[in-house]
Amino acid sequence: MLNTFQQARHPMLPSATHDEASRQEFSKSLKQFVQQGLLPGLQPVFTHRATQAFERAHGHAPKDRRDIRKAMEPDPYFQHYAALNRISQEMMWNSVIDSVERQLPDLIDNARKFSAQSKAELRLDADFVPPRYVTALDIHCMPGGYASEVTADDVSVAALYDRGAYLYGMGFAGPLNDDMGRSVCNYVKRNLPGFKPRRILDMGCTVGHSTLPYKTLFPDAEVWGIDVGGPVIRYAHARAAALGVDVNFAQMNAEKTDFEDGHFDLIVSHILLHETSGKAMPRIVRECHRLLSPGGYVIHADLPPFDLMSPFTQFILDNETWYNNEPFWGAMRELDQIQLAVDAGFPRDSVKFATAPMAILESAAEGAAGYTGDSTSAVAEREFTAGEFAPGGGWEVLVARKAVLA
Ligand SMILES: C[S@@+](CC[C@H](N)C(=O)[O-])C[C@H]1O[C@@H](n2cnc3c(N)ncnc32)[C@H](O)[C@@H]1O
């Protein structure tokens, strides 16, 4: 358990009026209630009610997560939970949209101003076409997705994501929403001693939450974040500059980037892969192999495979596929990711799953060292236990190393 903090303010983050802030707090509290108040009730409902009804109808006990879904769907407790979960998600995005729309001209001006001050590169491509799996639906019900642009130099979906991601995580990712990046950095420090990457790539970086910690860990490295969304790349570059960090950002598709063979010593991603597709994911893993220098590492932090968890936990997590516009969420967990990496050219004995302990939980154990929000808002606001992304308090990482002699 730890106390989490308010989101750290920075000049790109939309601020909220009193009413907007109270709606945002309400949506976050509602999420908290669904997760901590309703979710724990699902297991007893399944064990003591839904299983029996399923057995009467089918003549056998529920075997896997699909049977469990069939058993739970008719149950009013589950229906109430699933509906409220979905409503809280929609309320959360809606609660931020007013702040973003009210301040959009200022946010765009700020992005221009901070980007102009940056020493790092910003590459946008006016002819870029984002993949269909990003544009075909509003992923995790975020209106506009990551790539919508409705005005010149638009950053609206990025500002929406920055604030919304904090509310969605209920603070678990830390004041700068950077826990995944910090946790993988800690993993690198502990498990790859002496490794000093000269060039680092973060694929699917969105607004750069997880990208910036790599520049802090390796200040001499050239760090790049890429994403298919123009607004998020624009915002990421300005946000990094506003926070005083020189990181380069480019609008590129991780399936096929513009970088040369062997350009990077370390490639990372954080919850990118489950938002792609069955066709894109093998391409991205192959592109990582092409882009790595001999002996370079790739680390993808994402969802643990289903076979590492009980059918009931699989069912719970798969609710994201069913009710939160995450079409690849469940299917991705069924892929043999180790084999995918081997097929892309990584030596089998270099590929493994590991756990990167959540930096925020570790720093709580150490008295919250290093996790302070800005001076005005670093207010401990609630107790937190590791949630569904990081069951047991760690991020799941797929690690592979390119052969030294390819
Ligand atoms: C859940 S967000 C990632 C969050 C981010 N990595 C972080 O740690 O805060 C997924 C991101 O992947 C991007 N994306 C999806 N497919 C991509 C692709 N083929 N190439 C690059 N980015 C992609 C989306 O636009 C979105 O910004």
Side-chain angles (χ1 to χ4, degrees), residues 24-34 170:
Q24 291 176 13
E25 277 307 310
F26 178 79
S27 76
K28 181 150 67 69
S29 308
L30 182 58
K31 274 196 163 295
Q32 222 167 300
F33 168 69
V34 172
M170 297 171 288

Side-chain angles (χ1 to χ4, degrees), residues 120-123 199-203 205 211 214 221-226 246-252 259 263-264 266 268:
E121 257 191 77
L122 169 63
R123 290 192 201 164
R199 289 185 287 268
I200 302 170
L201 173 64
D202 180 16
M203 293 176 150
C205 62
T211 324
Y214 293 91
E222 175 187 311
V223 179
W224 284 87
I226 61 166
D246 286 326
V247 171
N248 309 291
F249 288 95
Q251 185 176 23
M252 282 189 207
F259 298 110
H263 191 73
F264 293 100
L266 174 64
V268 293

Side-chain angles (χ1 to χ4, degrees), residues 22 40 61 66 99 108 147 151 155 170 182 192 194 201-202 208 218 231 236 277 285 315 342 349 382 386:
S22 104
R66 293 181 177 85
S99 305
I108 291 174
T151 185
V155 291
M170 297 171 288
R182 292 170 61 114
L192 310 176
L201 173 64
D202 180 16
F218 297 111
S277 74
V285 181
F315 153 74
V342 172
D349 62 2
R382 73 178 191 83

Side-chain angles (χ1 to χ4, degrees), residues 41-246:
L42 290 175
Q43 177 81 64
V45 163
F46 173 63
T47 310
H48 301 297
R49 192 160 73 200
T51 299
Q52 287 78 351
F54 183 92
E55 276 184 22
R56 280 195 297 279
H58 298 268
H60 63 85
K63 290 188 300 289
D64 53 24
R65 72 171 195 278
R66 293 181 177 85
D67 279 355
I68 297 173
R69 182 163 307 283
K70 279 188 205 141
M72 292 294 273
E73 269 174 358
D75 194 282
Y77 187 96
F78 175 71
Q79 291 174 359
H80 186 66
Y81 158 82
L84 211 55
N85 203 18
R86 169 71 181 228
I87 288 166
S88 73
Q89 181 77 351
E90 293 179 4
M91 282 178 86
M92 177 195 83
W93 295 119
N94 287 340
S95 74
V96 181
I97 282 175
D98 288 348
S99 305
V100 174
E101 289 188 343
R102 185 171 50 73
Q103 294 162 88
L104 188 56
D106 292 340
L107 292 172
I108 291 174
D109 281 352
N110 275 351
R112 289 183 183 130
K113 185 180 87 190
F114 283 105
S115 274
Q117 289 169 10
S118 171
K119 293 199 282 293
E121 257 191 77
L122 169 63
R123 290 192 201 164
L124 291 160
D125 177 354
D127 299 322
F128 187 86
V129 181
R132 215 177 103 67
Y133 51 81
V134 169
T135 54
L137 78 176
D138 289 346
I139 206 142
H140 43 56
C141 301
M142 180 172 112
Y146 299 103
S148 293
E149 306 203 32
V150 295
T151 185
D153 293 343
D154 200 355
V155 291
S156 47
V157 291
L160 177 61
Y161 181 85
D162 195 358
R163 181 64 184 152
Y166 170 80
L167 298 173
Y168 177 77
M170 297 171 288
F172 74 79
L176 286 169
N177 275 330
D178 60 357
D179 188 73
M180 278 182 290
R182 292 170 61 114
S183 305
V184 176
C185 280
N186 285 347
Y187 178 88
V188 170
K189 262 196 289 193
R190 282 175 198 152
N191 294 282
L192 310 176
F195 178 54
K196 268 205 149 192
R198 294 157 302 169
R199 289 185 287 268
I200 302 170
L201 173 64
D202 180 16
M203 293 176 150
C205 62
T206 321
V207 297
H209 287 152
S210 302
T211 324
L212 271 45
Y214 293 91
K215 187 67 182 173
T216 310
L217 179 60
F218 297 111
D220 298 331
E222 175 187 311
V223 179
W224 284 87
I226 61 166
D227 202 285
V228 292
V232 295
I233 283 299
R234 217 172 266 134
Y235 184 99
H237 188 256
R239 175 182 178 273
L243 290 168
V245 188
D246 286 326

Side-chain angles (χ1 to χ4, degrees), residues 298-379:
V298 60
I299 305 180
H300 292 293
D302 210 298
L303 310 172
F306 271 148
D307 55 13
L308 294 181
M309 57 189 75
S310 73
F312 191 77
T313 306
Q314 293 177 26
F315 153 74
I316 297 285
L317 296 182
D318 204 23
N319 283 330
E320 294 287 308
T321 312
W322 286 79
Y323 309 121
N324 197 22
N325 272 8
E326 293 267 12
F328 193 42
W329 179 283
M332 185 266 188
R333 290 176 194 246
E334 282 180 330
L335 287 181
D336 183 345
Q337 298 177 46
I338 303 265
Q339 189 59 43
L340 221 56
V342 172
D343 292 346
F346 292 96
R348 183 173 288 274
D349 62 2
S350 84
V351 189
K352 62 176 181 192
F353 275 109
T355 301
M358 289 178 77
I360 197 166
L361 292 180
E362 292 196 314
S363 26
E366 293 157 13
Y371 257 111
T372 48
D374 71 60
S375 56
T376 53
S377 65
V379 181

